[in-house]
Amino acid sequence: MDFADSAQELFDKGYAAVKGAVAGQAVERQPFMVGFARLCNDGWLQGWHERNGGNLTYRMADEEVRACKPFFLDEPGRWTAMGVQADNLRGAFFVATGAGRYMRNVQLSPSRNVGIVEINDAGDAWRLVWGLEGGGRPTSEFPSHFMAHSVRMKATGGASRVLYHAHPDNVIALTKVVPLDARSITRALWKATTECVMALPMGVGVVPCMVPGGPEIARETSELMKAHDAVVWAQHGVFCSGPDFDSAFGLMHSIEKAAHIHGLALMMNGGSGDFANTISDDDLRAIAQSLGLSINEAFLD
């Protein structure tokens, strides 16, 4: 290699590095990515994301895709089949946390810990178009997110864009002491604090203990999310949806706080659920009516 070739090679490497850095910063500064990183950090500060636990996905709006496309990879990753399919998500773009990446590190380096993936025209495979530097891939629970996005998009007329999965301590503990059915767990949450029914008037769905990350739990969760904004995974955590990051985080926070209060009340009452005072079913109806909310009557006496 002569001097000219060597100089050109050094220039090409330097140019590629600078281009990658500029592209990373341009996407990281987008408002949706700032909000994405903030939610990840908020969840970490709550203690809901031990090690690489939990994940977050966001369905991008068309204008956000247009703003980021100039900074996408020159050569996108290969198409990867998901084992699930959704017609209404053909050609969609998602922001997703990475498999094995830590939520606590997202704010430090979004381009390493978060990626943007494109869905193919068949609606059954994804490819990486930005981020997850160092050979990363989307969360192993991406199929669950994908199918839930499809269901929530249809159920909300396109309003739902965020899906958030976390491991909040008190909800997981709740699944060990309350019967594993949606009615029992919802009633424990609703009756813990008046705020919970406001945030969750349709209650929660409940999935029994299942192997995480596969198509089976994806289908089970998405079926429940036809009627619920949130689904509790027994011995595992919670799966929440919302139109924006504040809504999804707020829902998770409300569910976890109600579970915490329920647990505290049990301890103060010697383990008995026969409390001296509680929120009655008529109280729950009155709260919902005052706010113009439809409450899930199947969970009331």
Side-chain angles (χ1 to χ4, degrees):
M1 178 183 293
D2 59 25
F3 176 77
D5 290 336
S6 179
Q8 184 62 48
E9 182 179 350
L10 289 172
F11 175 82
D12 289 343
K13 288 182 177 179
Y15 175 77
V18 171
K19 181 181 178 183
V22 170
Q25 291 177 8
V27 174
E28 289 173 0
R29 290 173 180 169
Q30 293 291 323
F32 72 88
M33 191 63 80
V34 173
F36 189 102
R38 181 192 174 193
L39 190 156
C40 292
N41 191 61
D42 284 347
W44 160 252
L45 292 175
Q46 291 293 326
W48 300 341
H49 299 289
E50 75 293 340
R51 200 167 174 267
N52 62 316
N55 32 69
L56 176 66
T57 57
Y58 170 71
R59 180 172 58 86
M60 296 173 67
D62 291 343
E63 60 271 20
E64 293 166 340
V65 175
R66 286 194 294 270
C68 293
K69 265 192 173 179
F71 309 103
F72 284 174
L73 297 170
D74 293 335
E75 295 183 11
R78 63 179 180 83
W79 290 109
T80 300
M82 293 182 286
V84 292
Q85 190 273 340
D87 285 337
N88 63 346
L89 293 177
R90 296 170 186 249
F93 288 80
F94 290 94
V95 187
T97 49
R101 305 292 165 95
Y102 289 36
M103 298 287 264
R104 69 188 294 262
N105 292 332
V106 169
Q107 274 199 332
L108 298 176
S109 180
S111 61
R112 177 169 178 79
N113 297 288
V114 173
I116 296 176
V117 297
E118 178 184 10
I119 305 303
N120 66 353
D121 291 337
D124 62 3
W126 60 265
R127 68 176 178 180
L128 184 68
V129 297
W130 180 88
L132 288 175
E133 296 168 352
R137 55 185 288 123
T139 167
S140 62
E141 289 173 334
F142 189 72
S144 294
H145 281 253
F146 180 78
M147 291 304 295
H149 272 291
S150 175
V151 168
R152 296 307 299 161
M153 182 179 178
K154 183 176 181 180
T156 64
S160 179
R161 291 190 176 276
V162 179
L163 280 167
Y164 178 36
H165 171 51
H167 300 164
D169 307 22
N170 293 285
V171 180
I172 296 171
L174 191 71
T175 67
K176 294 180 177 294
V177 298
V178 174
L180 282 182
D181 64 83
R183 191 176 193 274
S184 297
I185 289 182
T186 295
R187 287 177 64 82
L189 296 171
W190 278 354
K191 288 174 174 289
T193 167
T194 56
E195 299 299 307
C196 192
V197 71
M198 299 178 191
L200 201 69
M202 297 310 293
V204 295
V206 177
V207 171
C209 188
M210 299 175 71
V211 176
E216 184 181 2
I217 195 171
R219 294 188 183 97
E220 185 82 15
T221 302
S222 62
E223 184 64 28
L224 291 171
M225 295 203 90
K226 291 178 181 178
H228 302 286
D229 295 325
V231 174
V232 172
W233 287 353
Q235 327 300 325
H236 185 157
V238 185
F239 208 69
C240 284
S241 66
D244 51 49
F245 298 114
D246 284 346
S247 298
F249 181 83
L251 184 56
M252 183 77 70
H253 205 182
S254 297
I255 294 169
E256 169 64 356
K257 186 168 187 177
H260 179 58
I261 292 169
H262 181 80
L264 285 176
L266 285 174
M267 286 189 288
M268 290 178 180
N269 205 38
S272 171
D274 185 18
F275 302 125
N277 303 294
T278 189
I279 302 170
S280 72
D281 286 42
D282 285 341
D283 289 335
L284 292 169
R285 289 187 180 96
I287 292 167
Q289 184 178 9
S290 71
L291 296 172
L293 299 172
S294 296
I295 193 170
N296 191 341
E297 284 285 343
F299 294 162
L300 296 175
D301 290 335

